[in-house]
Amino acid sequence: MRVFRTTLLMTAVSGLALCAGAAHAAEPGAPAAEPVDGQVEELIVTAQKREQKALDVPIALTAYSGAMLERLGVQEFDKLSAFVPGFQVQNQSPNNPGFVMRGITSDSGEATVEPRVSVFQDGVSISKSRGSYVELFDVQRIEVAKGPQSTLFGRGAMIGAVNIIQNKADLKALDWRVGAELGDHGYGLFEGMANVPLSDTFALRLAGRYKERDGAIENVLGGPNLGSTDTGALRLSAHWSPTARLDADLILNYEADHPTGTAFKSNSYNPTNIATGQALGDRDPNSPAGLSSGYGFEGGAPLGLKRFVQGATALVDYRFNDAWTLSSITAARHFASDEVFDPDGFSLPMFVFAEDARGRQYSQELRLNYDNGGKVSWFGGVSYFDEEARTRVPLQFDERYALALLTGQLTKPNPQPTAVLTNTTFLSALVTGLTGGAATGAVAQGIASNLGVHTEQFTNYGATKSWDVYGDATWHVTDRFELSAGLRYTNDDKSSGVASQVSQRSILGGTIGALSQAPATRQAILGALAVPGAANIPTSAAYPVPMFGLFAQPTTGNGQVSTQDFTDDGLTWRLVGRYAVTPDASLYASYARGRRPKVLSSAAPSAPMSPGKFTPVAAETVDSYEAGAKSRLLDGRLNVEGAVYFYSYDNFQTNVREGAQIITTNAGKAESYGFEGQATWQAASFAEVFATYGYNHGRFKAGIRDGNRFRLSPDHKVSLGASLHADLLNGRFTFTPIYAWQSKPFFDDDNDIPALQQHNLLPDLVQDEFQNSYGLLDLRLEYQPSFARWKVGAFVTNATDEKYIKDAGNTGDSFGIPTFIAGNPRYYGVTFSLRR
């Protein structure tokens, strides 16, 4: 299948090149390389809904052109974040990324949760976690704006926004490009682009990429290595300009991801031969794992992800005159993902989970811009957003192994062979211990005999219909001083839903449930659970034993959806002052209010066959205070900018574990403050140096988490790099070394403090779910001849083969057996590209 997909993409890429190449034969080509003028790149950005130099935008803004991203080897968000102070992206898998802005994380897969950090494609929100991680290819530029930006970007930009501006079809020139990369671990990347003007008013652009890499973690139980890459993405865009006043773009995006399973690794149990108990490896996250997908779970689906993301966007701009422009953004988007994973992180098929997420959204925005070059410029608009999502979590567990774990009788670090763990004499003793002696003899033996493989599932649903009215104006008080103010009103009609069901009665869940009952009821339930075939006996007057679950009790009717509707509205705003010290230097200060809407957190019921539970969580607000400076010095050879900020949160929304479920709760007050700086220096005609630094002190300020750090948020983050040129061998060599370092992060808001994990099914008594500070070194070398349009190169990422983890805790944390996910090892390869 891999060979077929690769061949298919190479054929498509070749077709792109031939199509554009045939047209190219009729026209002379452009120079092989752009001339170097001795200045650092100065981008024109649209963060404030109008074209401006980045220097003139009074926001902590980091922007990179597509050409710069290509030079840095940036293909995905996690690599991009190394070059953006205050921005961190954790790529556990394309289905489960974490976007972190100034210490605040957006990564929840719940259908009801709103993101705090928005991700956009050409102004269209793609922020839902399971559909937000997209391949970065054929990009014009990327803008990362920090701070509450709801006025500029909309409902999800509470802490900031990432906007991917994709290359559109271009009327001006025929263009094409093909490229390939090959490397170790079976790495291959193939991409192509063709831009073809079909008339003076209409053009098409087609771009695609396919990328694959074998996983770095061997699975000792067989099958492909874990943590692979298998991504294909395709984009078709059309541009139409029938008059000088009207521009219209249609953009169609499609992406498919099929990586192998995430390499969850237990730090409690070694991978073993489950028949003999012999160890097959150790507990180092970077060493081989032993994972499986259980007993025919989800129709026999293997470990891994199948994800499809598709979207259509129509952008229309109509210029009434030089001052007035009407813009329309119409978008439809859909994602579907199915991921099967082994959450216990060791060889016994004790637990296996899946996540089946679906989402669709439609949005429409109309915006009127006014700018006649005078004292006042402004824009205002309305938008409508309609979204439906649901996340189904099926799970399967072997009650016999789970019983040994819950009673502390699963030996460490090598679990007993299956013959021991499934022996009814051994299990009946565990049942007696679990029940405190309430079940003994024949009752304990009967319960032990009924234990087996059990499946459950719980599903949460979310629907939102929202409309916004917003406006933003800038008053040029003097030639040097300007004030900007913006206000947005948002109104939401929302619905939350939950359903849970069991395939049959959980004998282990029923045994545990009986322990909270009065003695007579407890004994009656335990006796009934000892009846042969008790797992499958229907509940009736003669057998009044509920359909127990272990992870989640079933809702009414064993799967009926419970829903609640609610409304929410609120205001967000910004006030900014900017002073131009010189034409190439400015100071700014801002106050802004960000808001995350009210949440109705849903959960399965506490008792079997009951309605789902809903807990309202108040809207989260943040007051932001920021001051910054930007300057372009040394005749354009040095760009420097920096910002300091302070955030104060009320009703901080965070996640807590209740048994095996994760719910949203109100953690009260929190605050963060920090500094961000970035600089680019054209040190010589042959050397450009760039650096970023971010400091963020984010802490909870109330309740049981008072003093805790925000998750996935290192206090310090640094990147250093250079682009060094040498003209040799009738061409140019470019060497790009990059070093990115970060300090210690925790992977959960509870900072893995044992006292804060009392609601787990089993306590985690060791504080080890963090990563000590570490740095990664990447190197790239390219050669561009002066006599041709091709380029070759070589690269190595994580050149020192630094060992680190990119996540810890995960689902296993609920059972006192946290899992760890290794970071990427050293990769290397070669590159080739050919362009018009």
Side-chain angles (χ1 to χ4, degrees):
M1 179 61 72
R2 170 184 288 178
V3 173
F4 171 75
R5 286 196 299 266
T6 304
T7 303
L8 183 63
L9 189 78
M10 290 181 70
T11 301
V13 168
S14 299
L16 286 171
L18 288 173
C19 172
H24 167 233
E27 287 184 31
E34 295 182 0
V36 176
D37 62 6
Q39 295 184 340
V40 298
E41 183 178 47
E42 185 173 30
L43 281 182
I44 301 299
V45 298
T46 54
Q48 294 195 117
K49 307 305 180 187
R50 61 184 184 273
E51 292 187 351
Q52 294 176 284
K53 294 178 182 179
L55 176 72
D56 297 335
V57 179
I59 296 172
L61 177 73
T62 302
Y64 290 108
S65 67
M68 183 64 173
L69 295 173
E70 183 180 338
R71 285 165 52 196
L72 297 175
V74 172
Q75 300 172 0
E76 299 180 29
F77 280 117
D78 58 346
K79 184 65 71 175
L80 170 69
S81 69
F83 307 103
V84 182
F87 183 47
Q88 185 93 355
V89 179
Q90 177 213 53
N91 178 18
Q92 188 182 108
S93 81
N95 195 49
N96 194 15
F99 289 87
V100 187
M101 193 82 78
R102 291 181 169 175
I104 300 301
T105 303
S106 285
D107 65 349
S108 175
E110 291 183 66
T112 56
V113 172
E114 298 276 1
R116 292 185 180 104
V117 179
S118 285
V119 182
F120 293 87
Q121 281 180 330
D122 293 305
V124 176
S125 175
I126 61 169
S127 303
K128 213 66 175 177
S129 173
R130 290 347 184 210
S132 62
Y133 200 87
V134 295
E135 197 72 10
L136 304 179
F137 69 103
D138 197 33
V139 170
Q140 183 185 101
R141 69 182 183 279
I142 296 179
E143 300 177 11
V144 183
K146 274 69 71 74
Q149 301 297 344
S150 301
T151 300
L152 300 178
F153 289 96
R155 54 185 296 107
M158 178 178 181
I159 298 303
V162 183
N163 193 15
I164 308 164
I165 295 91
Q166 304 172 118
N167 279 320
K168 316 296 189 302
D170 189 353
L171 296 172
K172 297 178 182 178
L174 177 82
D175 194 16
W176 60 265
R177 178 184 184 274
V178 292
E181 297 183 355
L182 298 173
D184 65 333
H185 289 82
Y187 174 65
L189 179 147
F190 309 94
E191 62 184 2
M193 177 280 295
N195 183 87
V196 182
L198 298 178
S199 72
D200 292 340
T201 62
F202 187 74
L204 288 175
R205 187 183 189 97
L206 180 64
R209 173 185 286 175
Y210 177 70
K211 183 168 63 177
E212 62 182 7
R213 174 179 271 132
D214 296 335
I217 304 296
E218 177 189 355
N219 190 348
V220 296
L221 298 187
N225 285 5
L226 301 165
S228 72
T229 297
D230 188 344
T231 294
L234 192 66
R235 181 185 310 126
L236 175 65
S237 61
H239 179 80
W240 182 48
S241 293
T243 73
R245 292 186 175 185
L246 178 64
D247 288 308
D249 290 282
L250 176 65
I251 308 162
L252 305 176
N253 277 293
Y254 176 81
E255 181 169 332
D257 301 277
H258 299 97
T260 54
T262 302
F264 293 108
K265 191 74 182 288
S266 174
N267 74 335
S268 302
Y269 297 98
N270 290 323
T272 59
N273 181 317
I274 63 174
T276 66
Q278 179 183 359
L280 301 176
D282 58 32
R283 298 181 298 284
D284 183 341
N286 297 278
S287 66
L291 307 181
S292 67
S293 56
Y295 313 94
F297 179 63
E298 287 288 278
L303 295 175
L305 168 67
K306 291 183 179 180
R307 187 185 74 136
F308 302 92
V309 181
Q310 51 204 353
T313 301
L315 308 174
V316 180
D317 289 315
Y318 185 77
R319 292 174 292 280
F320 297 98
N321 51 46
D322 290 342
W324 295 89
T325 303
L326 179 65
S327 298
S328 170
I329 304 176
T330 307
R333 183 174 169 83
H334 177 266
F335 69 85
S337 66
D338 293 279
E339 184 166 19
V340 177
F341 56 99
D342 186 347
D344 54 53
F346 60 98
S347 301
L348 285 174
M350 182 167 63
F351 302 132
V352 59
F353 280 38
E355 184 186 84
D356 170 16
R358 299 286 187 273
R360 67 98 186 139
Q361 70 180 55
Y362 168 80
S363 62
Q364 174 63 58
E365 180 176 356
L366 291 173
R367 184 180 71 249
L368 185 64
N369 281 63
Y370 172 78
D371 187 354
N372 69 349
K375 286 284 189 180
V376 176
S377 60
W378 60 269
F379 64 83
V382 296
S383 65
Y384 175 74
F385 182 81
D386 186 338
E387 178 183 67
E388 290 184 1
R390 69 119 172 107
T391 303
R392 179 180 68 95
V393 181
L395 54 100
Q396 183 184 85
F397 61 95
D398 192 310
E399 297 178 307
R400 298 165 295 183
Y401 308 146
L403 174 61
L405 176 70
L406 292 172
T407 55
Q409 299 304 307
L410 194 65
T411 59
K412 296 180 179 180
N414 301 322
Q416 302 95 315
T418 54
V420 174
L421 293 171
T422 58
N423 181 278
T424 54
T425 301
F426 172 76
L427 292 172
S428 63
L430 300 187
V431 170
T432 298
L434 178 67
T435 60
T440 59
V443 172
Q445 187 78 16
I447 291 175
S449 298
N450 285 331
L451 296 171
V453 177
H454 175 77
T455 58
E456 302 176 2
Q457 72 175 27
F458 54 90
T459 307
N460 59 69
Y461 303 83
T464 298
K465 295 183 186 296
S466 175
W467 57 270
D468 292 35
V469 180
Y470 63 91
D472 195 279
T474 298
W475 174 30
H476 301 273
V477 183
T478 70
D479 290 342
R480 292 189 174 189
F481 181 58
E482 65 183 44
L483 289 173
S484 297
L487 182 68
R488 179 180 291 261
Y489 171 75
T490 301
N491 183 281
D492 293 337
D493 287 318
K494 301 172 76 73
S495 177
S496 289
V498 63
S500 57
Q501 65 181 113
V502 297
S503 60
Q504 56 187 9
R505 185 177 289 104
S506 171
I507 301 302
L508 180 58
T511 301
I512 295 173
L515 301 181
S516 62
Q517 305 299 312
T521 303
R522 177 173 64 238
Q523 293 305 126
I525 292 176
L526 293 173
L529 293 174
V531 174
N536 296 300
I537 300 174
T539 300
S540 65
Y543 190 81
V545 181
M547 296 295 287
F548 284 106
L550 176 62
F551 292 83
Q553 302 304 327
T555 51
T556 306
N558 195 17
Q560 181 176 309
V561 180
S562 298
T563 61
Q564 282 195 20
D565 300 334
F566 65 102
T567 60
D568 182 67
D569 65 351
L571 292 170
T572 53
W573 57 79
R574 73 169 187 148
L575 178 63
V576 186
R578 173 180 174 267
Y579 180 73
V581 181
T582 72
D584 291 324
S586 64
L587 306 173
Y588 71 88
S590 68
Y591 163 64
R593 163 64 65 89
R595 186 177 187 275
R596 193 186 199 192
K598 172 184 174 182
V599 173
L600 197 59
S601 185
S602 60
S606 302
M609 301 299 179
S610 302
K613 298 187 298 184
F614 296 93
T615 304
V617 182
E620 175 183 324
T621 60
V622 59
D623 288 305
S624 164
Y625 308 86
E626 181 174 312
K630 301 184 179 187
S631 184
R632 188 171 173 87
L633 306 169
L634 303 179
D635 296 324
R637 292 187 293 112
L638 176 63
N639 272 7
V640 180
E641 58 184 271
V644 294
Y645 60 88
F646 174 78
Y647 289 167
S648 177
Y649 297 89
D650 281 320
N651 301 319
F652 191 93
Q653 297 174 3
T654 189
N655 294 329
V656 296
R657 296 182 186 275
E658 282 198 356
Q661 297 185 80
I662 297 176
I663 65 169
T664 303
T665 190
N666 186 340
K669 291 187 176 295
E671 68 178 35
S672 67
Y673 55 85
F675 167 80
E676 294 166 359
Q678 56 192 51
T680 305
W681 177 35
Q682 188 73 46
S685 60
F686 57 86
E688 183 178 82
V689 181
F690 46 90
T692 70
Y693 171 68
Y695 170 70
N696 179 79
H697 185 274
R699 301 293 189 268
F700 289 87
K701 302 299 292 183
I704 60 174
R705 294 185 176 181
D706 187 12
N708 278 20
R709 299 186 187 187
F710 295 165
R711 62 185 296 258
L712 293 176
S713 178
D715 281 356
H716 303 274
K717 184 168 171 280
V718 178
S719 69
L720 300 169
S723 183
L724 308 174
H725 310 292
D727 293 329
L728 298 168
L729 302 178
N730 202 15
R732 168 165 290 186
F733 285 88
T734 302
F735 178 55
T736 308
I738 301 164
Y739 183 72
W741 178 91
Q742 66 173 45
S743 62
K744 172 182 176 179
F746 284 95
F747 293 102
D748 201 294
D749 285 342
D750 64 20
N751 289 189
D752 199 33
I753 297 172
L756 300 184
Q757 302 184 67
Q758 299 302 313
H759 294 289
N760 295 13
L761 289 175
L762 284 176
D764 176 12
L765 302 179
V766 180
Q767 187 183 30
D768 56 0
E769 294 163 29
F770 57 84
Q771 168 61 53
N772 287 321
S773 61
Y774 68 98
L776 301 178
L777 175 65
D778 293 352
L779 305 171
R780 298 182 71 85
L781 179 65
E782 294 181 326
Y783 170 70
Q784 169 76 64
S786 59
F787 54 84
R789 298 180 177 87
W790 53 263
K791 181 166 59 176
V792 295
F795 67 88
V796 56
T797 60
N798 190 6
T800 61
D801 202 22
E802 180 83 2
K803 306 299 183 186
Y804 65 101
I805 58 172
K806 57 185 175 183
D807 202 11
N810 305 299
T811 306
D813 210 20
S814 296
F815 308 94
I817 49 172
T819 56
F820 296 73
I821 303 173
N824 293 331
R826 176 171 51 227
Y827 292 130
Y828 57 85
V830 295
T831 68
F832 172 81
S833 65
L834 175 65
R835 64 173 71 234
R836 182 182 187 277

